[in-house]
Amino acid sequence: MNLSRVLLFILCIATAQAQSLINLIPQPVSVQPQPGVFTLTRATTIHYNQADAKEVADMLSQRLNTPTGFGLAAKPGKTGKIQLNLSETPNAQLGQEGYMLDASSKGVVITANRPAGLFYGMQTLTQLLPKEIEGKVVAAKTWSVPAVKITDYPRFGWRGIMFDVSRHFFTKVEVKQYIDQLAKLKYNTFHWHLTDDNGWRIEIKSLPKLTSVGAWRVARAGHYGDRAEPKPGEPTPYGGFYTQDDIREVIAYAQARNVTIVPEIDVPGHSMAALAAYPELSCTKAIVSVNPGTAFSDWYGNGTFKMKVENTLNPSDEKVYEFLDKVFTEVAALFPNPYIHVGGDECYKGYWANDPGCQALMKQLNIRHVEDLQGYFMNRVEKILTAKGKKLLGWDEILEGGISPTATVMSWRGIKGGIEAAKEGHNVVMTPTTFAYLDYNQGDPTVDPPIYAFLRARTSYGYEPVPDGVDAKYILGGQGNLWTEQIPTLRYAEYMTYPRAWALSEVYWSPKEAKNWPNFVQRMETHFERADMAQVNYSRAIYDAIVKTSMKDGKLRLELEGEIPGLDIYYTIDDTMPDQFSTRYSQPVDLPDGPINLRVITYRAGKPIGHLITLSRDALQKRIGRF
C-alpha cells in the first residue's frame, strides 16, 4: 500500500512537471493535459497515412534530426510512434487549418483534414519538446513530450505580417528565415512590400530600368528624415532586388510552410523609385532620385502633408496604365495567390491639382475634387488586375474617391477605415497603427532607439480585430506591419517583431475568450528561452518600468508601472543608483522642485531584471501626457 502511494506520488509529480512544459503560442482552442510523457529516441518511427502528408512528415523529421542527431526518416504507414494522419472523413470543426494532437506515453498522433493542419500540428509538437529542439547543433537531452490532448483551429483565415524590403533590402535568404519563424507561429500570410520611394525590389523584365535604376540609391547613415539629399553624379551602391527566379524560390519556400505571399506594388503615391527610372510617368516629368531617407515631405500633425518632391504617378496619362499593365502582367504570373496589394496610401495630390492633364480629366469625368482622381485611378488598376485573374487589395485610403464592391481594404489608420469598409460590404484586413505597427517603439526611448510612436506588447495582445457593430463575416483577419525605415538588419527586424508578433499570433489564431495577459506572459518567457536557442532576436522591454508624468496642483507627478505582473519598481531622485534597498514605488509621487534626476529599475524575486532608466527633470516635463 505504501509503495503504491509512493508510485502515485511520483506519477503526480511527473505529470505536474510535464504540464508545466505546455507553454504554447498561440494558445490552442482546447488543451487537456494527461498523465505521463512520450520520449523521443533513435528508435522512434514517423509515419504518414497519405501521400499528401509526406512533405510535412519529411519536414518534421528534418526538424527533429538537427538537434537530436537521431537520423529519423518519415515513411508511409499507420503505426508510427509519431503518426501524421489526413482524415478519410473530414472533421468540419477543424476546417482547412485545424488539427488534433494526442500525445501519450505510447506516442503522438496528429490528425487533420488538410496538410496545412498537419503542419500546424507539427509546430505545436515541436513547442511541446524541450527548448533545445530549436538549436542548430546536437544536444544531449531527454526529448520528452508531455501527454496532452489538443484540439485546435484558427479564429481568422488571414493571419499576416507585412515586411517592408524597400526602405532596406533584405536578401532572399533573410526573407526565408523571417518567413520560417512566422510559420512556427501559425501565421499564414506574408505581405511583401516590394516597392516604395526608397527602392524597387522586384524584377520586371519588360521594364528593366525599374531595377537597374530604381533598386539602387546613394549610401546614407543616420535617422530617416535627417539624411542628406543625393548629390549630382553620386554613386548609388545601396540596394538590391529579387530576380523572378528569386521570387519563385521564396514563394515555393513559403508554400511548403503554408504561407501565402501577397505582393505589394505601391501606387499611385510612394512611387519615387519608379519615377527615378521612368520620370515621364509623373506630372512634372522632373528627374528624381531613389530616396535615401531625406525629409521629402512636410507633415502637419493632423494626417495631412505636402510633398517637396513628386512621388506620384500621373492618373491622366494613358502611358501610366500601359506601364502598370506591364508590371502587373509579370507580377500576376509570378504570384499564385488571388490578391495583389496596390498600396493607395499617402498619395499627395498637389501635383495633380496643378496639372493641365489632370484638370482636363476631372472636367471629362465631371468631378470637382482632385481627391476623386484616386478613385478613378484605382478603378483603372482594378480592371487591369481583374483581367489577370487577381483581386485588388489596398490601404484604407482607397476608399477615398470610391472603389468597386469587390475591392478588399486594409485598415491601418486606426479602425475607422475598416468599420466604414465593412459596413459598405467590403472584406477587410485589420492592421491598425494603434495595435499592429511593429516598427513603433516598444520600450522606453531612453533605452531603445527613439521612434515617433509607441506600441507595447501588452497593447498588441489586447487587440480585438472585430469592432463593435461590425458583421464579423467581413473581417478576414489581421496582420502586423514592419516598416523598415530604422531597421537595417534582419537581427534588428527580429528584435522589433518579437514578442509583439507572438502576441498578435494569439490575437489572430486563438479564441477571443482564451486571452489572458498574465498567462501569456508566462508562456512568452519560455519562448524567450526558445528564441535564444534558435538564435532569434527579441526585445525584453516588457521587463522595464513605464514612466509617466502629469501635473497635479502645480507639482510634477510621477507614475510608474510594470507591463507584466510581478515586477518591483525601485527609484531614486538623489543621484544615487537604485537597487532593491532604494525606495520601492507603490503610488504616484509628487516630485520636488529643482534639477532632479530620476533613476528607475525593476526587480523580480529579488534580482534586477529591467534596464536602468534615467531621466532629467526636463525630460520628465516633456513626458507629461505622452506615455
Side-chain angles (χ1 to χ4, degrees):
M1 186 68 171
N2 288 338
L3 178 60
S4 64
R5 287 180 177 177
V6 169
L7 291 174
L8 180 61
F9 178 70
I10 292 172
L11 178 62
C12 289
I13 291 177
T15 301
Q17 289 175 337
Q19 291 178 10
S20 71
L21 298 175
I22 302 176
N23 291 291
L24 303 172
I25 296 178
Q27 180 80 341
V29 173
S30 172
V31 179
Q32 299 177 25
Q34 307 291 320
V37 297
F38 168 70
T39 301
L40 190 71
T41 70
R42 291 184 182 277
T44 298
T45 51
I46 302 174
H47 288 178
Y48 54 91
N49 73 331
Q50 294 185 30
D52 285 351
K54 181 180 187 303
E55 187 173 18
V56 176
D58 287 341
M59 199 176 295
L60 174 60
S61 65
Q62 293 166 11
R63 181 87 178 274
L64 297 178
N65 287 339
T66 297
T68 67
F70 287 166
L72 307 177
K75 298 177 182 179
K78 298 183 179 181
T79 59
K81 288 293 185 181
I82 299 177
Q83 181 69 42
L84 304 185
N85 289 335
L86 287 173
S87 299
E88 301 289 346
T89 303
N91 182 332
Q93 182 187 36
L94 299 182
Q96 299 293 304
E97 297 180 293
Y99 64 92
M100 292 189 296
L101 185 151
D102 189 347
S104 69
S105 59
K106 297 179 180 179
V108 178
V109 179
I110 301 174
T111 306
N113 296 329
R114 303 289 300 156
L118 291 181
F119 179 82
Y120 294 133
M122 177 188 76
Q123 303 306 330
T124 296
L125 173 58
T126 55
Q127 286 193 26
L128 291 170
L129 284 159
K131 64 184 178 182
E132 287 80 6
I133 200 69
E134 301 291 345
K136 303 179 187 300
V137 296
V138 175
K141 189 73 181 176
T142 300
W143 300 101
S144 294
V145 176
V148 64
K149 290 185 177 181
I150 294 173
T151 300
D152 201 13
Y153 45 87
R155 181 182 176 195
F156 292 104
W158 187 297
R159 307 179 304 278
I161 294 289
M162 189 283 300
F163 192 35
D164 166 23
V165 296
S166 175
R167 271 72 174 199
H168 284 285
F169 178 68
F170 294 83
T171 68
K172 67 178 179 182
V173 172
E174 291 173 325
V175 170
K176 288 194 287 187
Q177 289 175 335
Y178 193 72
I179 289 173
D180 199 44
Q181 293 303 318
L182 299 179
K184 291 178 181 180
L185 297 164
K186 302 181 175 68
Y187 283 102
N188 67 353
T189 303
F190 180 69
H191 174 174
W192 206 357
H193 187 81
L194 290 164
T195 75
D196 213 298
D197 299 314
N198 313 103
W200 185 285
R201 304 300 181 205
I202 178 172
E203 177 188 28
I204 304 297
K205 292 184 177 180
S206 61
L207 297 162
K209 288 173 66 177
L210 283 173
T211 46
S212 65
V213 175
W216 306 95
R217 64 177 185 255
V218 298
R220 290 288 185 272
H223 200 278
Y224 254 64
D226 294 334
R227 298 179 181 180
E229 296 283 349
K231 300 173 184 176
E234 185 178 359
T236 55
Y238 184 84
F241 65 93
Y242 309 104
T243 67
Q244 294 195 1
D245 284 341
D246 292 336
I247 296 285
R248 293 186 188 96
E249 181 181 332
V250 174
I251 290 172
Y253 188 87
Q255 284 178 326
R257 288 152 182 79
N258 295 282
V259 172
T260 295
I261 298 184
V262 176
E264 181 179 357
I265 306 298
D266 201 348
V267 292
H270 286 287
S271 295
M272 201 176 297
L275 295 178
Y278 298 100
E280 65 272 18
L281 301 178
S282 68
C283 289
T284 63
K285 321 298 184 193
I287 303 299
V288 296
S289 300
V290 179
N291 190 274
T294 65
F296 59 88
S297 60
D298 289 326
W299 286 83
Y300 302 125
N302 59 356
T304 62
F305 66 102
K306 178 181 180 181
M307 290 296 303
K308 300 177 181 179
V309 182
E310 189 172 12
N311 73 335
T312 309
L313 300 176
N314 182 350
S316 70
D317 189 344
E318 285 301 312
K319 290 186 173 59
V320 165
Y321 303 103
E322 294 170 11
F323 164 83
L324 291 173
D325 189 83
K326 291 179 180 179
V327 170
F328 290 126
T329 293
E330 297 189 35
V331 171
L334 284 170
F335 292 89
N337 84 89
Y339 287 101
I340 292 179
H341 200 300
V342 298
D345 61 311
E346 298 176 338
C347 176
Y348 177 66
K349 303 173 180 71
Y351 294 97
W352 295 359
N354 295 320
D355 180 71
C358 289
Q359 292 296 318
L361 178 60
M362 290 173 63
K363 186 174 181 180
Q364 176 187 333
L365 298 173
N366 195 28
I367 58 177
R368 297 174 57 189
H369 301 292
V370 70
E371 288 80 6
D372 293 335
L373 282 179
Q374 180 153 341
Y376 167 80
F377 177 91
M378 284 300 169
N379 279 302
R380 290 287 301 269
V381 169
E382 185 170 26
K383 288 178 181 177
I384 293 172
L385 295 183
T386 300
K388 303 177 195 315
K390 299 298 183 181
K391 298 178 182 179
L392 182 143
L393 171 65
W395 303 110
D396 55 53
E397 285 97 330
I398 67 173
L399 291 166
E400 298 167 5
I403 53 174
S404 79
T406 56
T408 300
V409 174
M410 271 193 176
S411 184
W412 74 277
R413 296 179 299 178
I415 63 174
K416 181 180 177 182
I419 294 172
E420 178 185 343
K423 288 186 174 180
E424 291 179 5
H426 296 284
N427 286 332
V428 177
V429 178
M430 298 298 289
T431 178
T433 57
T434 42
F435 297 97
Y437 266 45
L438 304 178
D439 55 307
Y440 283 7
N441 221 333
Q442 56 202 317
D444 197 277
T446 63
V447 177
D448 282 347
I451 300 169
Y452 61 90
F454 301 87
L455 178 60
R456 299 272 178 183
R458 181 176 62 185
T459 303
S460 289
Y461 187 78
Y463 180 44
E464 169 47 46
V466 180
D468 291 340
V470 169
D471 190 335
K473 74 179 183 180
Y474 295 113
I475 307 300
L476 300 181
Q479 69 180 36
N481 295 330
L482 186 67
W483 302 100
T484 60
E485 286 92 338
Q486 297 302 126
I487 300 176
T489 65
L490 179 64
R491 186 82 180 154
Y492 197 61
E494 293 170 345
Y495 178 88
M496 296 301 287
T497 301
Y498 309 114
R500 290 179 293 190
W502 300 343
L504 288 174
S505 76
E506 198 147 300
V507 170
Y508 302 139
W509 177 280
S510 304
K512 177 181 179 180
E513 302 75 26
K515 288 170 67 174
N516 181 312
W517 173 246
N519 178 267
F520 177 78
V521 169
Q522 173 188 322
R523 290 179 282 121
M524 175 174 57
E525 291 190 279
T526 68
H527 281 254
F528 285 165
E529 297 177 4
R530 301 179 75 88
D532 288 338
M533 295 300 305
Q535 298 177 0
V536 170
N537 202 9
Y538 56 88
S539 167
R540 294 172 60 88
I542 60 158
Y543 295 121
D544 297 344
I546 300 173
V547 183
K548 301 180 180 180
T549 56
S550 60
M551 292 300 295
K552 180 75 171 180
D553 299 327
K555 286 286 189 179
L556 182 62
R557 173 161 287 191
L558 172 69
E559 295 180 42
L560 304 175
E561 65 176 293
E563 189 172 356
I564 64 173
L567 294 181
D568 294 312
I569 306 174
Y570 297 94
Y571 70 96
T572 63
I573 54 175
D574 59 0
D575 280 335
T576 61
M577 297 298 289
D579 61 17
Q580 73 269 37
F581 299 104
S582 302
T583 304
R584 182 179 179 274
Y585 179 82
S586 59
Q587 62 184 22
V589 178
D590 289 335
L591 296 172
D593 296 334
I596 61 169
N597 287 301
L598 171 73
R599 290 180 173 85
V600 180
I601 194 167
T602 54
Y603 274 64
R604 189 170 66 179
K607 294 183 179 180
I609 194 169
H611 291 98
L612 174 69
I613 297 173
T614 304
L615 294 163
S616 68
R617 184 181 185 86
D618 285 345
L620 291 167
Q621 288 277 170
K622 292 176 182 177
R623 288 192 171 219
I624 294 174
R626 287 190 60 215
F627 291 83

